[in-house]
C-alpha cells in the first residue's frame, strides 16, 4: 500500500519508494511536455517539487492548475538535480481535489503586504511568511510545556471569567448575561449586578497569576498558559486585546531564584527554535530582520546582566543620549531606555530589579528600603521588556497595607489574604506574553502577524 507522508518527513530512506502526498499548489510552470509543481502541505518552509510529464492521463488538466489548488500526488521519491532541494517527486498520478478559481484567488505569485494579509486572515497561513511564523509559534508552545514539565511543574488552568483585576489597571472586558436593552438598576440608578448570571460584576481575566498563587501554595511549582484579555485602546504594533500568557509561580523561591529560572527558560525555548527552524529563521531574516539569527544565538549563549532600577537610571542619565521620554527616578522606563541599556550599554539581555513601589503592582514584596519592591523585568535587545515578574508579598500585614493603599481591601480579595494567613511562604512568579515572544523569535515587526486571528480596537473579524 502506498505510504502517505508529510513533506517534512521525506528523507533518503524513501528514495525510489512509492509515496502519496497531499497539499496545495504554491507555483506551477510548464517546460516542453513537463509541468513542475511546487507542492506545500504546511509541514516545512519550502514544500517539495513535483514533476509531472505528459504521459499522465489528465496532463492537460494539470497544466491549467492555479495557485491554491489542492492535490493528491501518487508517485516516487527521487534525488533532485535542482539546486536547493535534496528530493523531488516524480508523479505517477495526480488527483485534483479542489481547484482554485484562477485569478480570483487572493494569494497570487506576486508579493503581498502584511497589512493586506491581515484582511484575509483565513488565507494568510498559506503564505511563506505566516507559515514560518506559525511553525515557530507551535515549537515555542511545545517548548514552554516541555521546559516546565521536565522540572515537575503542575500545569494549571486558571479562570477566564473573574471578579479580580490582578493588574489593578481597570482595563477589563466586562462579561454579562443581562439584557443590555433593559438593564436592571438599583435605587441609585447603577446597574444591579446581583441580577446577573454570577450575581456580581465579572470580567475576562487580564492575568492568571492570583489563581496560580493558590496552586503554588499547594503544589510548590505551577504554571499557567492560557488566553488573557485587555480592553486597552492601544492601536499599535505592540498591543492586542486578546493574547496568551505564560505565568509560572514558585513557592519557597525568592527574587534571585526567579532570575535564574527565567534565564534558563528563555534560553531553552529559543534554543529549541534554533535547532528546529533553520529554514524558517533564515527566510524571516532575509525578509524582515537582518540580524535575527545573530541576535537569537547571542541570547542563547550569553549570561544575562543584572542591574537595579536605580543603577539603570544613573546609567541612562549619564549616557549623554537624547531620549524622547522623560527620565528620572520614580518613572517607568520606556522601550527606548530599555533598548539603550541592552543594545549599547551592556550589549546583552538584562535582568532589571528593584523598581519603585509606586509604579508596580500591590502584590510585589516590599524591600527593606521601603521605597522599592522585589520586582524584575527581563530586557531583550531589539524589543525591550519581554518578561515581568516579582517576589510576591508574603507578609499578611504588609500585603493588607498595600491593598488598602490600592482600595482593594474588600471581600473580593479576602481569599487572597488567606494565602498569607494559613502557611505563608516566600514565593515568586513571572508573566510572559506569548505573542511578544513569538514576535521576537520570528523577527516580525507587528504583533498582529504572530497570532492566528488578531483582536484589536475596532476589529474582531474572522
Amino acid at each position: 500500500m502506498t505510504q502517505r507522508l508529510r513533506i517534512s518527513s521525506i528523507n533518503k530512506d524513501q528514495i525510489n519508494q512509492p509515496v502519496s502526498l497531499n497539499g496545495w499548489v504554491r507555483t506551477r510552470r510548464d517546460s516542453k511536455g513537463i509541468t513542475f509543481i511546487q507542492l506545500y502541505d504546511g509541514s516545512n518552509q519550502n514544500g517539495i517539487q513535483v514533476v509531472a510529464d505528459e504521459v499522465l492521463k489528465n496532463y492537460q488538466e494539470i497544466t491549467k492548475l492555479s495557485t491554491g489548488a489542492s492535490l493528491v500526488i501518487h508517485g516516487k521519491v527521487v534525488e533532485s538535480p535542482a539546486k536547493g532541494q535534496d528530493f523531488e517527486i516524480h508523479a505517477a498520478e495526480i488527483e485534483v481535489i479542489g481547484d482554485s478559481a484562477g485569478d480570483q484567488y487572493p494569494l497570487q505569485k506576486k508579493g503581498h503586504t502584511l497589512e493586506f494579509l491581515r484582511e484575509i486572515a483565513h488565507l494568510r497561513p498559506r503564505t511563506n511568511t505566516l507559515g514560518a511564523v506559525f511553525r515557530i509559534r507551535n515549537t515555542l508552545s511545545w517548548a514552554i510545556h516541555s521546559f516546565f514539565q521536565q522540572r515537575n511543574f503542575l500545569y494549571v488552568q486558571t479562570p477566564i471569567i473573574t471578579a479580580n483585576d490582578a493588574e489593578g489597571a481597570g482595563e477589563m472586558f466586562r462579561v454579562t448575561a443581562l439584557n443590555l436593552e433593559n438593564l436592571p438598576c438599583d435605587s441609585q440608578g447603577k446597574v444591579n449586578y446581583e441580577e446577573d448570571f454570577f450575581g456580581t460584576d465579572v470580567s475576562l481575566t487580564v492575568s492568571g497569576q492570583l489563581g496560580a498563587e493558590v496552586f503554588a501554595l499547594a503544589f510548590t511549582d505551577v504554571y499557567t498558559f492560557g488566553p488573557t484579555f485587555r480592553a486597552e485602546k492601544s492601536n499599535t504594533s505592540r498591543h492586542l486585546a486578546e493574547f496568551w500568557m505564560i505565568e509560572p509561580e514558585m513557592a519557597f523561591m525568592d527574587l534571585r531564584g526567579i532570575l535564574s529560572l527565567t534565564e534558563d527558560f528563555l534560553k531553552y525555548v529559543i534554543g529549541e527554535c534554533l535547532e528546529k527552524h533553520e529554514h524558517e529563521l533564515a527566510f524571516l531574516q532575509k525578509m524582515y530582520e537582518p540580524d535575527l539569527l545573530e541576535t537569537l544565538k547571542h541570547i542563547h549563549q550569553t549570561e544575562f546582566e543584572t542591574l537595579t532600577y536605580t543603577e539603570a537610571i544613573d546609567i541612562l542619565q549619564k549616557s549623554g543620549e537624547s531620549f524622547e521620554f522623560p527620565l528620572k527616578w520614580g518613572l517607568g522606563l520606556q522601550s527606548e531606555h530599555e533598548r539603550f541599556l541592552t543594545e549599547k550599554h551592556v550589549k546583552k539581555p538584562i535582568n532589571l530589579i528593584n523598581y519603585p513601589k509606586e509604579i508596580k503592582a500591590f502584590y510585589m514584596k516590599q524591600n527593606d528600603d521601603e521605597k522599592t519592591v522585589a520586582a524584575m523585568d527581563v530586557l531583550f535587545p531589539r524589543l525591550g521588556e519581554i518578561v515581568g515578574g516579582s517576589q510576591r508579598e508574603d507578609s499578611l500585614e504588609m500585603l493588607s497595607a498595600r491593598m488598602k493603599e490600592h482600595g482593594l481591601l474588600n471581600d473580593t480579595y479576602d481569599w487572597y489574604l488567606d494565602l498569607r494567613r494559613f502557611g505563608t511562604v516566600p514565593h515568586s512568579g513571572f508573566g510572559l506574553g506569548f505573542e511578544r515572544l513569538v514576535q521576537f523569535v520570528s523577527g516580525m515587526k507587528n504583533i498582529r502577524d504572530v497570532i492566528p486571528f488578531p483582536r484589536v480596537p475596532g476589529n474582531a473579524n474572522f
Side-chain angles (χ1 to χ4, degrees), residues 231-270:
E232 179 182 1
K233 287 200 171 182
S234 295
N235 214 344
T236 75
S237 62
R238 292 166 57 90
H239 292 89
L240 291 166
E242 175 185 280
F243 51 99
W244 287 65
M245 287 285 289
I246 301 98
E247 297 176 287
E249 289 288 329
M250 292 71 63
F252 306 100
M253 182 175 286
D254 60 12
L255 185 66
R256 292 291 170 178
I258 197 177
L259 294 181
S260 177
L261 180 83
T262 308
E263 181 171 343
D264 289 346
F265 167 75
L266 291 169
K267 288 180 175 179
Y268 179 87
V269 297
I270 288 173

Side-chain angles (χ1 to χ4, degrees), residues 54-72:
E54 57 188 354
V55 302
L56 295 180
K57 61 182 181 181
N58 60 342
Y59 182 74
Q60 290 306 312
E61 181 185 13
I62 301 305
T63 62
K64 296 180 174 62
L65 288 173
S66 300
T67 298
S70 55
L71 309 176
V72 176

Side-chain angles (χ1 to χ4, degrees), residues 293-436:
L293 281 164
E294 180 183 352
T295 301
L296 294 177
K297 289 175 181 177
H298 173 66
I299 289 173
H300 186 244
Q301 298 164 2
T302 303
E303 183 177 353
F304 294 7
E305 182 86 5
T306 298
L307 295 173
T308 67
Y309 168 89
T310 300
E311 289 171 335
I313 291 293
D314 186 57
I315 290 166
L316 291 164
Q317 288 177 335
K318 293 177 179 177
S319 68
E321 293 283 320
S322 178
F323 296 110
E324 178 183 355
F325 290 93
L327 185 66
K328 65 177 182 179
W329 201 97
L331 295 179
L333 297 184
Q334 300 298 319
S335 179
E336 61 174 342
H337 306 137
E338 296 167 342
R339 291 190 60 178
F340 173 84
L341 291 169
T342 56
E343 295 172 13
K344 296 184 179 180
H345 184 70
V346 300
K347 298 181 179 178
K348 61 170 69 173
I350 294 174
N351 299 313
L352 201 60
I353 64 172
N354 297 340
Y355 282 78
K357 66 178 183 178
E358 286 78 15
I359 62 174
K360 288 297 182 179
F362 71 91
Y363 50 74
M364 297 187 177
K365 185 170 183 61
Q366 187 167 303
N367 290 322
D368 292 339
D369 62 12
E370 298 184 356
K371 297 190 300 181
T372 63
V373 289
M376 54 82 75
D377 287 341
V378 178
L379 312 182
F380 269 5
R382 209 184 73 229
L383 178 70
E385 179 198 341
I386 191 165
V387 166
S390 72
Q391 183 173 341
R392 314 313 191 188
E393 183 56 73
D394 55 277
S395 161
L396 175 62
E397 179 183 1
M398 296 295 290
L399 181 60
S400 297
R402 286 287 284 160
M403 292 176 72
K404 186 176 182 180
E405 291 174 12
H406 286 260
L408 297 175
L409 269 185
N410 54 54
D411 293 343
T412 303
Y413 290 91
D414 199 52
W415 63 269
Y416 190 63
L417 291 172
D418 274 353
L419 301 178
R420 279 68 179 174
R421 293 187 180 104
F422 308 127
T424 188
V425 298
H427 60 288
S428 302
F430 69 77
L432 167 65
F434 184 47
E435 282 71 30
R436 183 164 290 194

